[in-house]
Amino acid sequence: MAVDRNVFSWFKVWFRSTPYIAFLCVFLLMTQTPRLFAQVDEGAINGTVQDSSGAAVPNAHVTLLNTDQGITLDAT
């Protein structure tokens, strides 16, 4: 019984192209999903400004300071 060499031709093509397919998959993953690998600068701060008796202070001026980046945010 003779072995036909064309039977394994698909295996040779697949084996040769596997590194290219893997590179393409990794490249598409990295370019299509950048938010998976980065931090998002979104957030919220909620609260009430109170005086020493616990009463809310109307129209209080609040300043937020990010000491790492030197960014300030003023709010009333």
Side-chain angles (χ1 to χ4, degrees):
M1 181 171 180
V3 176
D4 185 13
R5 293 186 184 263
N6 291 330
V7 172
F8 297 107
S9 64
W10 64 270
F11 179 74
K12 291 178 186 177
V13 171
W14 173 253
F15 188 72
R16 288 182 193 151
S17 62
T18 301
Y20 299 111
I21 293 171
F23 175 77
L24 180 63
C25 290
V26 170
F27 178 76
L28 289 175
L29 179 68
M30 299 277 295
T31 58
Q32 297 299 320
T33 57
R35 296 193 110 197
L36 290 177
F37 304 106
Q39 296 177 353
V40 179
D41 59 348
E42 296 176 2
I45 298 176
N46 297 320
T48 304
V49 178
Q50 299 176 337
D51 62 8
S52 60
S53 66
V57 178
N59 298 323
H61 181 78
V62 178
T63 302
L64 302 173
L65 172 63
N66 182 338
T67 56
D68 292 337
Q69 298 176 351
I71 299 172
T72 60
L73 175 66
D74 295 321
T76 302

